[in-house]
């Protein structure tokens, strides 16, 4: 990928993941700057990856061609408006990873029709196994689009969406969804413990089953998920009874409701922030 000066505003979990992916893929650390109000996370990033750090967002942005906006959504307005007041932001590419803040709103906060690519990664980016959705408005040129794709491609798979509203769908399916899987595993672990297993053995069983199932899914991209399920489900056997129980209780609708709730919250956040 192209190596440009890049600043990360907000040095939290997602920033650490992306910087780790960049540096591990030979992006020059001296071109990367992270800024954050507290020094602790910055010192750790500097020690681990050899990047530049600062407690001053302006300094980070001044040194950069690309600015990754990685603060919590409720802080975005304050952070962007201050940057816009402090310096000329023209000529820079902005990449937002924040949930629920639209491109026009980000441009408004930044004080002009600056190039903004919206992205939605997820926490497995920390292991290089992330899933990121990206949206670029028509004012983003192909070189900048490629840079944004390469940036997020350092930490996993990427998918472009045509309409900005589909970023909320990415949140529902990939940004938030690691937490759904954890919730499901928690429920399984709890029931395995109730059936007599100790905490660690219950955890081992559910995590290894999930890992194996995820590998099966990934290694057979042309097999429908329903086919993989059928392979486990012996006629008249145990799995059939478990699946029947899920289906009787409306699992498809439960999942649909949860994903729609995530989209609705993203839409609310777009109005709120
Ligand atoms: N955690 C997740 O699963 C995902 C989060 N996101 C988005 O990523 C963004 C960051 O999330 P996380 O990394 O999880 O949060 P985080 O809380 O770990 O990181 C945010 C960082 O911003 C810093 N910060 C606070 N005020 C600041 C300021 N004025 N200037 C500069 N930095 C400031 C905080 O000290 C913190 O280190 C959010 O907008 C969130 O919507 C997107 C996809 C997934
Ligand atoms: O829960 C959230 O709002 C963020 C966005 C996707 C994952 N975490």
């Amino acid at each position: 990928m192209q190596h440009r000066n890049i600043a990360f505003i907000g040095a939290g979990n997602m920033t650490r993941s992306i910087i780790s992916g960049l540096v591990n893929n030979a992006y020059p650390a001296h071109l990367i700057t992270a800024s954050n109000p507290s020094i602790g996370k910055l010192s750790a990033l500097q020690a681990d990856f050899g990047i530049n750090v600062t407690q001053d967002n302006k300094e980070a942005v001044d040194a950069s061609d690309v600015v990754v906006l990685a603060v919590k959504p409720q802080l975005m307005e304050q952070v962007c408006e201050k940057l816009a007041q402090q310096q000329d932001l023209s000529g820079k590419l902005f990449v937002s990873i924040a949930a629920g803040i639209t491109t026009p709103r980000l441009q408004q906060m930044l004080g002009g029709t600056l190039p903004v690519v919206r992205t939605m990664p997820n926490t497995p980016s920390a292991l290089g196994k992330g899933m990121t959705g990206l949206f670029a408005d028509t004012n983003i040129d192909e070189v900048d689009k490629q840079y944004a794709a390469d940036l997020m491609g350092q930490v996993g798979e990427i998918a472009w969406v045509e309409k900005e509203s589909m970023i909320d769908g990415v949140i529902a399916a990939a940004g938030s969804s690691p937490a759904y899987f954890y919730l499901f595993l928690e429920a399984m672990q709890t029931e395995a413990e109730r059936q007599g297993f100790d905490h660690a053995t219950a955890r081992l069983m559910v995590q290894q089953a999930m890992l194996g199932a995820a590998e099966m899914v990934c290694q057979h991209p042309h097999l429908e998920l329903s086919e993989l399920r059928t392979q486990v489900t012996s006629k008249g056997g145990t799995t059939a009874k478990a699946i029947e129980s899920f289906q009787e209780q409306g699992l498809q609708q439960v999942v649909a409701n949860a994903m729609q709730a995530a989209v609705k919250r993203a839409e609310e956040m777009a109005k709120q922030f």
Side-chain angles (χ1 to χ4, degrees), residues 13-254:
N13 297 317
M14 297 309 299
T15 285
R16 167 169 271 276
S17 300
I18 300 167
I19 290 177
S20 163
L22 287 172
V23 173
N24 289 334
N25 287 306
Y27 200 99
H30 73 270
L31 298 182
I32 304 172
T33 305
S35 68
N36 204 77
S38 53
I39 193 72
K41 289 176 185 171
L42 294 178
S43 302
L45 283 175
Q46 193 171 40
D48 293 345
F49 304 114
I51 63 159
N52 310 302
V53 297
T54 171
Q55 288 172 270
D56 180 359
N57 291 345
K58 177 181 183 300
E59 192 182 313
V61 172
D62 272 341
S64 305
D65 312 308
V66 181
V67 181
V68 179
L69 299 169
V71 296
K72 291 285 186 196
Q74 54 271 32
L75 290 176
M76 195 61 88
E77 181 176 30
Q78 175 196 325
V79 166
C80 290
E81 285 185 351
K82 190 161 177 206
L83 286 178
Q85 280 161 15
Q86 286 175 323
Q87 69 218 101
D88 178 14
L89 299 174
S90 58
K92 298 183 193 289
L93 170 66
F94 289 83
V95 177
S96 168
I97 66 166
I101 305 186
T102 63
T103 303
R105 182 73 185 108
L106 285 162
Q107 287 171 330
Q108 190 184 33
M109 293 174 185
L110 292 165
T113 49
L114 296 163
V116 175
V117 176
R118 257 193 89 188
T119 74
M120 181 43 53
N122 64 8
T123 55
S125 301
L127 306 176
K129 305 229 181 259
M131 178 69 228
T132 301
L134 299 99
F135 170 77
D137 220 336
T138 46
N139 70 341
I140 308 287
D141 67 29
E142 285 306 315
V143 179
D144 282 351
K145 269 183 87 170
Q146 189 61 51
Y147 182 88
D150 289 342
L151 175 68
M152 302 315 289
Q154 304 301 308
V155 289
E157 300 289 334
I158 62 150
W160 285 99
V161 297
E162 294 290 325
K163 283 196 317 195
E164 180 156 13
S165 60
M166 293 303 289
I167 284 287
D168 295 347
V170 175
I171 296 179
S176 295
S177 69
Y180 319 161
F181 296 126
Y182 304 143
L183 182 68
F184 195 87
L185 292 180
E186 283 173 60
M188 285 180 63
Q189 183 182 15
T190 299
E191 176 55 15
E193 286 181 44
R194 197 198 61 78
Q195 293 186 10
F197 292 96
D198 63 69
H199 194 66
T201 307
R203 162 85 185 239
L204 177 67
M205 288 195 304
V206 300
Q207 82 182 26
Q208 188 61 16
M210 174 199 59
L211 179 67
E215 286 283 341
M216 292 288 284
V217 168
C218 294
Q219 288 189 19
H220 299 284
H222 303 299
L223 269 189
E224 289 295 337
L225 298 174
S226 58
E227 172 58 24
L228 284 167
R229 170 165 57 81
T230 302
Q231 288 175 3
V232 190
T233 313
S234 311
K235 216 170 181 158
T238 58
T239 316
K241 280 291 170 198
I243 298 286
E244 202 178 288
S245 171
F246 279 131
Q247 287 174 337
E248 273 170 14
Q249 289 167 84
L251 181 66
Q252 174 62 54
Q253 196 56 51
V254 167

